[in-house]
Amino acid sequence: MSAFSAIGEDREIDREEFTPTLEPQATWCPGCGDFGVLKALKQAMPEVGRNPDEVLLVTGIGCSGKLNSYFESYGYHSIHGRSLPIARAAKLANPELEVIAAGGDGDGYGIGGNHFMHTARENHDMTYIVFNNEIFGLTKGQTSPTSPKGHKSKTQPHGSAKDPIRPLSLALTSGASYVARTAAVNPNQAKEILVEAMQHDGFAHVDFLTQCPTWNKDARQYVPYIDVNDNDDYDFDPTNKEEAAAMATEAEQSLYEGEVLTGRFYVDADRPSYSEEKQAIGEMPEEPLAERYFDDDYEWERTHDLLLDRHK
Amino acid sequence: MTDHELMWRIAGGSGDGIASTSQNFAKALMRAGLHVFTHRHYPSRIRGGHTYTEVRAKPEPVRSRGDGFNCLLALGDSFARNPQEGAYYGDEEVKPLSENLDELNEGGVIVYDTGLLDSDDIPNFDQRVEENDWHVYPLNLREIARDHGREVMRNTAGVGATAALLGIDLQYFEELMAESMPEDILEPNTEILHYTHDMVKEEFEFTHDLRVPEGNHDEEQVLLSGSDTIAYGALDEGCRFIAGYPMTPWTEVFTIMSQALPEVGGISEQVEDEIAAAALALGASHAGVKAMSGSSGGGFALMSEPLGLAEMSETPVVLVEAMRAGPSTGLPTKPEQADLEHVLYTSQGDSNRVVLAPGTVAEAYEQSRLAFQLAYGYNIPVILLYDQKLGGELMNVPASHFDREPNPDLGAVTTEEELEEAPHGPGGKFHRYRYDAEDGVSPRSIPGQKGGHFLVTGNEHNPAGHIDEDPTNRVTQVERRMSKLDGVREFLDDKNTQTYMGPEGADYGLITFGSQQGTVREAVDRLNEAGHSVKGIGVSDMMPYPVEEMTEFLESVDEALVVEMNASGQFRGLTQKELGRFGDKLSSLLKYNGEPFEPAEIVAGFEASIEGQDVPDQQTTYVPAAGD
Ligand SMILES: Cc1ncc(C[n+]2csc(CCOP(=O)(O)OP(=O)(O)O)c2C)c(N)n1
Ligand code: SF4
């Protein structure tokens, strides 16, 4: 028996396997968009064909960070903004895992902004879901990096003087090889995008519009949304970076004007993932490192020869 | 003492090859049968600025720098001739000679490069030479190097000259050069070495009586720094993942690991910042690989939150903290031991970590291995605390010390077979944080293992990992996590990790931690030779603290002096806090000018403490016992 026999198991996967029974009770507010993400993710899993024991879901802090409390898999509910560095190292340690990172817009575009840029740049093979509700939920309604300019909150009583972050453009320019936006109000599109993102070999960024009826009452429910890949008014080629960038910019601007554009904005299926690049230059073994610790036949190197060689 | 020991100092500008030349010099003397120890001093500047390295060599083991030094090789600082006139650094041309004279012992030897240095620029030079009975050999090393090769080979000319003056066989230098230099550089260097050596022998009448002592090793030796041994310890313990961000002096460990890991099929990641670095180490460890990260003061401060997460989530990880003088960016290239409290208590909540502080180059290997055994055996973060001095100093250690079996054991993890029998929650989650774990250690499962999925969280959690604020659960989990330190204490007690020095029954104690251990050992020896009754202890366990051993030690002496490199007596404070008594027995000897102690300063500090005098050296501070 392999040390990680859950990996690559060949059987029908049922979405209910990802639902915890009995515990715990969801603490999300009624009508919260986060339910939509959870539902779409559970629906995506059977299609991706991964079972709970081979999935690692790393989250940050916030309402969004509780995603893995309601999702049955290996989970790491970490610290505010740090899901990406944890997730990408786990992927390097064992590339055979299905690694998903998730967090809120404050978590992902604020405190974790630097990690976002660098993880995209390195093109780690993983999926990153950002619950974009344009507000800090868990800490009770402060302005977030995606809140519109002029947005008033208890910490910005005169209205925010800042322009919001443009996450799709940021992901694209940073080097993400898959960039999409979907919305909790459309579980079907959301599921499809998540399946694609997980199947994509590289860094897949999904900006997931989630409404927060508790603190962002004015915010639209992100309806009616338009799927840009499925609408003749938007003619662009998502494999062309320039066209993708123009489309992303338009989508980001129009969101604040009440038009919700969703879909796949950029897909680069050719760019090698970070592990592939690292393996190609001899900085990462072909076999999953983690396996080695369970392999009784592996001959562990001693430093003694190296030491004699260099230090005698 | 100076009769049979060499304390050679090579001085010049940063970037002039002082470090590599001194390393070869030390290695040559080691190969010639001597015990060696190097002490490095460099400014926080890339090129230029006064830098030196001392190589101390004796037939007997050397564990610290000496008091001053007895042979100076002053090369010119080639970067001192600042092309921009009136630039901030000003005229530093003569520093390699002038800056070192205060510490040169009576009867010492000076070789200096007249090609770049002019002794006329040094006030009262001739008078000082006479007063101190120094023996001066001015040589145009620059010209020799230029004539026979290239100007940058001044170092080799200097080595040839001192070898002649001290009677060191050139063969050792030749061999080392041949091992490290490509053919086209080797040839002129060899010529310069011989030319200068022979010329000095022919042209000078030697007035000094300093010669290299003779020695013999009974077994094969290797020359290593503390950074080397920390890295090798980690590798032998099966560490195959490192993530970091450069910061002096931690960068040394990071570099050594980054070069070695690809060779053994491991992974090194230079990432965007230290928060990410520590988080990556946690991620790799969680996924089943032995992992480390680390930094120095400010960078370690950024790791505070991931460190807390490692404690709460019981994710094993080793973090190294290479101290330099602080606060903030402080003195970037100078040692201090003032991050102890930072490392013990940083991050929110009750500290639930292990902190080890190796005292010597050889011990750093041991402690690095121990750090991984504890981290993975107990699912707890372990911090390896050392300083710029230990990280950068070179020492010879018998090669056999490192001839050990690797230990890739992943520690407290379950197998899939065990998972089948293990308790699970109603949703299928493995009870990774079970209450009833032996020694408090609840084994973890690794992602990908069948039947092992569970939730890790930095929030308080129940056995399955779910966030749980129930008071009974809270108390049970806190107590289980804290109880792991008792197990660690027992484990460490068995290993006997503290270092005892001097006669067991002595009346007076010297106490230290970390890199000052070797210097304190030398001071203990000297004091006993001088008729005092002194013993010493070098403590390596900071958390959990060796309460029993230290109580025993302190009960056995009348008084004790705590020697440490910081201004507030942090280790003395820890000792008093942990033991809850002995305040009336403990005095402090502190140094925080950016230089480590010299043995004589500790001897003087001891004398001041027993006689209630002031410490003569302005650079050290004596703080008397406080009472309880
Ligand atoms: C280092 C740190 N700073 C601040 C917090 C407090 N905090 C918790 S959640 C949160 C905001 C989360 O907002 P967002 O990421 O948008 O997620 P949401 O709750 O809206 O899903 C903050 C600031 C924290 N936990 N850690
Ligand atoms: S506060 Fe907003 S984001 Fe958080 S659970 Fe409630 S609705 Fe959802």
Side-chain angles (χ1 to χ4, degrees), chain B residues 264-278:
Chain B
V264 295
I267 297 175
S268 166
E269 278 286 290
Q270 182 183 321
V271 296
E272 58 271 28
D273 59 38
E274 286 86 350
I275 309 177

Side-chain angles (χ1 to χ4, degrees), chain A residues 28-29 32 34 63 133 137-138 211-215:
Chain A
W28 288 327
C29 309
C32 175
D34 294 5
C63 298
N133 55 12
L138 194 69
Q211 67 278 8
C212 171
T214 305
W215 303 112

